[in-house]
Amino acid sequence: MAVDTFAPKGGPNQERKPLTVGRVLIYILLVLVGLYYLAPLYVMITTSLKSLDEIRSSNLLALPMSPTTAAWGKAWDSACTGVDCGGLAPFFWNSIKMTIPAVLISTLIGSLNGYVLAHWRFRGSEALFAALMVGCFIPFQVVILPMARLLGMFDMANTTPGLIFVHIVYGIAFTTLFFRNYYVTVPEELVKAARIDGAGFFLTYRKIIFPLSLPIFMVCFIWQFTQIWNDFLFGVVFGGSDAKPVTVALNNLVNTSTGVTEYNVNMAAAIIAALPTLLVYILAGKYFVRGLTAGAVKG
């Protein structure tokens, strides 16, 4: 059990390691690798702040001479995504409305599934867990036809609730795997003691299991948010005209062939579409790594 996973590491008394030649070389290598991975982001940001004339006349890596956010404004509210020239804004909000409930519901269901499979085992529970794990390896394309049939039966085709339902179903296998493998590291004695004291299924979960679950909840939140926000296939197949997510709109914007290709608008649109996942990783990325090492890959 890892209840101190988020405790600050190190301290004033921690001994500093000597700066050797080997460590300096490692730092230099890390800086070079960091710059290599940040180079595309740098090009996207600087290009989005340039005018078209400056893009054509200047170097790709050059800083903007007269920075302007006009491309950002156009990408947000007036760029053409196919025949619609309303910008990315409505599709961005579609993604928000789809991602938040899908992440919360799939994570909560995965937590309860993992709790049952780890501490309330029944005959056939291992077989059920193995069957659920098959869902982790099924490609998106395989579920399109049966899912389309199911959404049609429930009258949820081409709607935001339909997209939420698809992502919940597809994400349950992953969230169940994460939570089950985390909860098997929680001592069985804690759950047995709660049962002896008269606590039932939900009271034990609320008082014992849930307070220990912050690391794995963070892992699932980040994993599901990234998967659902960046999804393109389900969005283009099941989204319909009024529920398409921002990834579909970005594809349509970049591939619109009428007029001059506005690279600054395309770059601004790409950053807008990627901004939520980028912020999630910047703000909570360290919890993702700590949560994984706290038990998500054990068991």
Side-chain angles (χ1 to χ4, degrees):
M1 183 175 62
V3 295
D4 60 343
T5 308
F6 288 177
K9 298 181 182 299
N13 297 325
Q14 187 178 27
E15 184 179 352
R16 287 181 174 273
K17 295 182 178 180
L19 192 62
T20 63
V21 176
R23 292 181 66 83
V24 171
L25 291 177
I26 290 174
Y27 290 145
I28 293 174
L29 179 62
L30 289 175
V31 170
L32 291 177
V33 171
L35 292 175
Y36 175 79
Y37 277 99
L38 288 175
L41 181 61
Y42 167 79
V43 172
M44 291 174 67
I45 294 175
T46 54
T47 303
S48 70
L49 296 175
K50 296 177 181 176
S51 64
L52 275 180
D53 291 336
E54 188 176 354
I55 291 173
R56 295 191 188 97
S57 60
S58 67
N59 187 287
L60 182 67
L61 298 176
L63 289 170
M65 299 298 292
S66 302
T68 173
T69 58
W72 287 74
K74 183 172 184 178
W76 180 252
D77 59 21
S78 62
C80 293
T81 56
V83 295
D84 178 15
C85 293
L88 291 183
F91 304 97
F92 187 90
W93 297 122
N94 284 344
S95 287
I96 293 286
K97 289 186 287 185
M98 171 191 70
T99 304
I100 291 178
V103 169
L104 294 178
I105 296 173
S106 62
T107 301
L108 182 59
I109 294 176
S111 176
L112 292 172
N113 286 348
Y115 170 49
V116 171
L117 293 171
H119 293 289
W120 293 78
R121 294 174 186 168
F122 52 88
R123 180 177 295 180
S125 60
E126 291 298 323
L128 177 62
F129 177 63
L132 274 172
M133 291 309 94
V134 174
C136 297
F137 305 101
I138 295 178
F140 285 2
Q141 293 81 356
V142 174
V143 303
I144 286 178
L145 282 179
M147 194 62 75
R149 175 74 174 169
L150 196 62
L151 292 179
M153 290 173 58
F154 292 139
D155 198 22
M156 297 171 66
N158 300 329
T159 64
T160 298
L163 272 177
I164 294 172
F165 177 76
V166 171
H167 285 296
I168 290 173
V169 171
Y170 198 83
I172 284 177
F174 289 97
T175 56
T176 299
L177 172 66
F178 290 152
F179 277 105
R180 184 265 182 190
N181 285 355
Y182 183 82
Y183 287 154
V184 294
T185 66
V186 176
E188 184 73 22
E189 289 76 13
L190 285 176
V191 179
K192 289 181 179 178
R195 291 183 190 175
I196 292 172
D197 290 340
F201 177 86
F202 288 106
L203 187 59
T204 305
Y205 175 79
R206 187 161 58 88
K207 294 292 186 180
I208 304 295
I209 299 298
F210 187 78
L212 301 175
S213 304
L214 179 59
I216 197 62
F217 265 105
M218 294 303 297
V219 169
C220 283
F221 283 151
I222 296 172
W223 173 271
Q224 283 293 90
F225 188 91
T226 306
Q227 296 294 316
I228 296 172
W229 184 274
N230 289 336
D231 169 68
F232 173 78
L233 184 60
F234 287 159
V236 76
V237 173
F238 302 122
S241 57
D242 297 327
K244 281 186 167 49
V246 70
T247 49
V248 177
L250 176 63
N251 174 77
N252 294 341
L253 186 153
V254 173
N255 289 318
T256 298
S257 57
T258 56
V260 178
T261 301
E262 297 177 297
Y263 296 105
N264 50 354
V265 176
N266 292 350
M267 294 296 180
I271 295 173
I272 290 172
L275 204 55
T277 50
L278 192 62
L279 288 176
V280 166
Y281 271 100
I282 290 175
L283 297 176
K286 61 181 180 181
Y287 300 121
F288 185 77
V289 177
R290 293 181 188 177
L292 283 176
T293 56
V297 295
K298 298 176 183 176

